[in-house]
Amino acid sequence: MPNQDNMNNGSQVENAEEIEQLSTPQQPVQETNKYAEFKLRRSAEEIGFMPPKKEKKKEMSKGEKTFFLVIISVLILAIAVGLFLILRRAEEKVEYTVNPKNVVISLKTSPSKNPTFYATFSGIKSENCVVDISKIDTSKEGTYDFVITCGQNKYNGRARVEGGKVIYKEEVTLYVGESVIPEKFIVKCKYKECESEFIVDEGVDINANVELETNIKLKTCEKGSTDQCVESDTIRFKKIPKIIESYVCTKQSTDSLNDSATSEKITVQFNNVEKIAGKIKYEYAYQTNYPKYYDDEEGKVRAIVAEKVISSDDVYYSGKKSKPYVIRYTVEEVIKETTKKEFIDTYINKKGYECTQNEIKTSE
């Protein structure tokens, strides 16, 4: 009969071996294929031991670079042109005014270069304008021109250089018959009392009631002194006639046989030296009911128009569509008669014009 203890001991040994085998972890079978190797490497990448591979950036080809540069250049150019047009239009819409001044500059000094000295500015900053003072000579008295340029616009002004005791005008024009006195030639005299005398060429009478154009000088002194004197530069002096009369003279004639009529009108002016002032204005009108007489008159008028070079705007031919047939023309011309007496003898006494006085229209 077997020993019960031995049996129990054997069973215990076997159970212990089984427990030991169960408690010992089983070793995994090593995988040696490529899949296992990829799996291991992927696991290493995921836990940060091995950085992932970066894909290499594809570079642009030479043609692609050129195309890209062309597109950028076109865009920059388009933006620049757009900005220029916007700014130009904005500048054109801006309204501004520049009013040049009549400035005075002291003799022997340097003229200012500040535009505000020469003009007032409204709607534009003076620093956006440039003043040209190159013609101003401060070494001697006189009147000089200056130009202010603002963008495309130019503005002209005059500067007076002065500093002496006596300031003279550069040019004087008087009417024939008007008194010729030194005060009309002097801008300013800084002496307490001034007295002047004319210096003229021999044989020139500046007081005669005739037309005149000459150069003269003046000498101005402090009254009672021979030392305190200033002599002028050459002054351009003119005496011109003054228009004092204007007349409208007309002449009407009819031809009942030819059923026609002619009208002539002359506007003439006379000055205070009994001469015709400038040109006369001659207006002519003709009308008839007969086509033949119209044709004859048209031929004569066309010859006159060609000879006197009359503008087509100053000639009218009605044609022969409806009666009466009319021809008109106007011309301003110098006639051979130059004096008032000659005009009266020819146009009133001989040609039979009738004259009425007209209103004088002058620039005065």
Side-chain angles (χ1 to χ4, degrees):
M1 211 175 157
N3 192 338
Q4 188 67 33
D5 293 332
N6 290 337
M7 290 179 64
N8 291 334
N9 290 334
S11 297
Q12 291 175 357
V13 170
E14 289 177 0
N15 290 335
E17 290 177 353
E18 289 179 1
I19 290 170
E20 184 179 358
Q21 289 178 358
L22 289 172
S23 62
T24 303
Q26 296 182 355
Q27 297 294 327
V29 180
Q30 186 175 1
E31 299 181 47
T32 59
N33 57 29
K34 291 183 178 179
Y35 175 74
E37 182 181 350
F38 169 77
K39 189 173 180 182
L40 288 171
R41 187 172 69 253
R42 183 64 178 171
S43 298
E45 289 177 356
E46 289 176 353
I47 64 177
F49 287 102
M50 184 183 296
K53 287 185 178 181
K54 293 183 180 180
E55 293 185 5
K56 189 175 181 182
K57 190 176 181 180
K58 184 180 179 182
E59 294 185 0
M60 291 190 294
S61 67
K62 186 176 181 180
E64 290 174 330
K65 289 180 179 179
T66 303
F67 178 75
F68 179 75
L69 290 173
V70 170
I71 293 298
I72 294 298
S73 300
V74 170
L75 288 174
I76 292 173
L77 180 61
I79 293 171
V81 171
L83 287 174
F84 173 78
L85 293 175
I86 291 171
L87 293 174
R88 182 67 179 271
R89 183 171 295 178
E91 182 181 351
E92 289 176 351
K93 289 182 178 179
V94 174
E95 294 183 359
Y96 60 86
T97 57
V98 178
N99 296 314
K101 304 175 184 177
N102 290 321
V103 300
V104 178
I105 302 173
S106 298
L107 189 68
K108 309 296 184 182
T109 62
S110 297
S112 173
K113 296 181 181 179
N114 188 346
T116 57
F117 178 75
Y118 300 92
T120 57
F121 299 85
S122 177
I124 186 173
K125 293 183 179 179
S126 60
E127 53 264 34
N128 294 332
C129 301
V130 179
V131 58
D132 180 5
I133 56 175
S134 59
K135 293 183 178 180
I136 298 177
D137 182 4
T138 58
S139 66
K140 60 181 180 179
E141 292 183 326
T143 303
Y144 303 92
D145 295 326
F146 62 84
V147 180
I148 299 171
T149 303
C150 302
Q152 301 295 323
N153 299 320
K154 294 183 182 294
Y155 305 88
N156 299 309
R158 306 201 81 187
R160 176 76 194 177
V161 175
E162 60 180 60
K165 288 293 185 179
V166 184
I167 302 170
Y168 297 97
K169 296 180 180 179
E170 293 183 326
E171 182 174 346
V172 175
T173 300
L174 301 176
Y175 288 118
V176 174
E178 192 175 355
S179 58
V180 183
I181 56 177
E183 287 75 12
K184 294 181 179 179
F185 295 76
I186 297 174
V187 177
K188 184 184 296 183
C189 181
K190 298 180 181 179
Y191 294 126
K192 290 182 180 179
E193 290 187 72
C194 304
E195 54 185 9
S196 305
E197 63 178 2
F198 291 104
I199 304 173
V200 298
D201 293 334
E202 187 177 352
V204 176
D205 183 3
I206 60 175
N207 291 298
N209 288 330
V210 294
E211 296 180 60
L212 178 68
E213 185 171 349
T214 187
N215 293 328
I216 65 173
K217 290 185 176 182
L218 266 75
K219 182 179 179 181
T220 303
C221 303
E222 186 170 14
K223 189 173 182 180
S225 173
T226 57
D227 297 328
Q228 299 295 320
C229 299
V230 177
E231 186 175 305
S232 73
D233 292 332
T234 299
I235 300 174
R236 295 185 295 273
F237 177 48
K238 294 169 66 175
K239 292 177 68 176
I240 61 173
K242 182 178 181 180
I243 297 172
I244 59 172
E245 294 178 301
S246 179
Y247 292 90
V248 174
C249 304
T250 59
K251 179 183 177 181
Q252 308 283 343
S253 60
T254 57
D255 188 340
S256 56
L257 182 62
N258 297 332
D259 197 12
S260 61
T262 302
S263 172
E264 298 175 85
K265 183 169 73 171
I266 291 176
T267 304
V268 61
Q269 295 178 324
F270 301 106
N271 56 38
N272 58 346
V273 292
E274 298 289 317
K275 289 186 177 181
I276 294 175
K279 298 179 179 180
I280 68 163
K281 182 179 180 180
Y282 178 78
E283 299 172 78
Y284 176 86
Y286 172 86
Q287 70 176 37
T288 182
N289 288 323
Y290 289 96
K292 178 183 182 304
Y293 299 133
Y294 175 85
D295 291 337
D296 292 343
E297 190 66 22
E298 182 181 359
K300 295 176 185 178
V301 170
R302 288 190 180 277
I304 293 171
V305 168
E307 178 187 355
K308 297 182 181 292
V309 195
I310 302 173
S311 169
S312 59
D313 294 334
D314 297 320
V315 184
Y316 172 75
Y317 305 100
S318 68
K320 295 174 287 186
K321 294 180 180 179
S322 61
K323 297 179 182 180
Y325 313 130
V326 178
I327 298 174
R328 293 192 299 268
Y329 73 87
T330 302
V331 62
E332 289 189 352
E333 59 182 338
V334 176
I335 58 177
K336 65 180 182 179
E337 292 78 15
T338 59
T339 67
K340 182 177 180 179
K341 182 179 182 305
E342 289 174 340
F343 180 86
I344 292 173
D345 288 344
T346 301
Y347 287 88
I348 296 178
N349 297 337
K350 295 179 181 177
K351 295 186 176 182
Y353 280 80
E354 294 182 358
C355 298
T356 58
Q357 194 160 10
N358 193 26
E359 181 185 356
I360 297 175
K361 295 181 180 179
T362 67
S363 57
E364 290 184 293

